[in-house]
Amino acid sequence: GILNNLGNLLASEEKNEDALRAYKESVAVTGGRAPTAAPALVNGATVCWRLEEYGEAESLLDRALPLLQGAEESCYKAHALITAGLLYSDLRSVLPGRETALGIQASTALTEALRVSQSIGDTRTLSYAYGSLGSLYEKEDRLEEALKLTKGAVFYAQRSQAPESLYRWHWQSGRILRRLGRTEEAITAYRHALTHLQTI
């Protein structure tokens, strides 16, 4: 845990190679197989993305995902799954020929994050899980499903009084509605996004 936190500190200072070493050492201490290794693996994958080491990022995520699925239900598990899902989604644009497999992994991680968030009753995290899965479906042109998920994200962000996420989900709603040809609703969603952005 200390090594993972050290990696976080180094990553925040943009000392990415040092951060990656700390994350890898954190994983090594656990033997690499305990659920406690999962956060360091996901964090290491994030740093690999910054370093443009995309294959290594995928490899670390592939090691983290089964460990996360076996970890105790918590908001930390849900957030790590969301981060992993979003990274898998991003990797599709830089790993040609891997788009389908990475999309499946992204969907698996985000769906599991949604389930975990529901099981622990964490509405703020649930908002991010709904919104992140909605974002994935938006990119896959599954627009009606994306809109439904994004509405869930808005609902739970409102319940948890989280303007820092509300503006994102209204903005996402606006993009999806615009692509569906529902222009007036899209404009309303964009206005809501601006309102919440101004509060922060």
Side-chain angles (χ1 to χ4, degrees):
I2 292 168
L3 286 164
N4 183 55
N5 289 341
L6 175 61
N8 292 342
L9 175 63
L10 291 165
S12 73
E13 295 174 344
E14 298 185 11
K15 297 175 181 174
N16 293 314
E17 290 177 0
D18 292 336
L20 186 56
R21 277 193 290 275
Y23 292 136
K24 287 185 173 180
E25 194 175 343
S26 175
V27 172
V29 166
T30 70
R33 292 179 296 276
T36 50
L41 287 165
V42 173
N43 291 335
T46 303
V47 169
C48 284
W49 168 266
R50 291 183 195 166
L51 293 169
E52 300 182 8
E53 295 175 7
Y54 303 125
E56 178 69 4
E58 182 186 6
S59 175
L60 292 175
L61 289 175
D62 287 346
R63 289 174 61 192
L65 198 54
L67 297 179
L68 282 170
Q69 289 168 331
E72 183 181 346
E73 309 284 79
S74 68
C75 66
Y76 303 108
K77 174 180 177 175
H79 279 288
L81 284 162
I82 291 167
T83 301
L86 293 173
L87 264 176
Y88 273 125
S89 178
D90 289 342
L91 284 168
R92 293 183 300 176
S93 65
V94 292
L95 293 175
R98 303 281 303 131
E99 294 91 347
T100 300
L102 290 165
I104 290 168
Q105 292 290 71
S107 181
T108 298
L110 293 171
T111 302
E112 178 68 1
L114 191 58
R115 185 198 64 74
V116 172
S117 303
Q118 287 171 329
S119 75
I120 62 175
D122 183 335
T123 54
R124 186 179 294 260
T125 305
L126 192 52
S127 169
Y128 277 100
Y130 268 111
S132 299
L133 192 55
S135 173
L136 176 67
Y137 285 1
E138 178 191 5
K139 290 172 186 169
E140 293 178 347
D141 296 324
R142 298 164 63 176
L143 297 179
E144 292 291 351
E145 293 168 277
L147 184 59
K148 185 177 179 182
L149 287 162
T150 306
K151 285 180 178 178
V154 168
F155 175 76
Y156 286 107
Q158 287 170 334
R159 282 192 61 183
S160 58
Q161 299 180 345
E164 77 285 353
S165 62
L166 257 176
Y167 90 88
R168 288 181 60 178
W169 310 137
H170 281 301
W171 181 22
Q172 186 165 296
S173 296
R175 292 195 309 268
I176 296 166
L177 287 162
R178 180 178 58 81
R179 290 180 63 193
L180 288 168
R182 294 159 62 175
T183 308
E184 291 303 319
E185 292 173 77
I187 290 169
T188 300
Y190 285 135
R191 283 183 176 144
H192 284 312
L194 281 169
T195 300
H196 289 293
L197 192 54
Q198 285 166 349
T199 67
I200 33 180

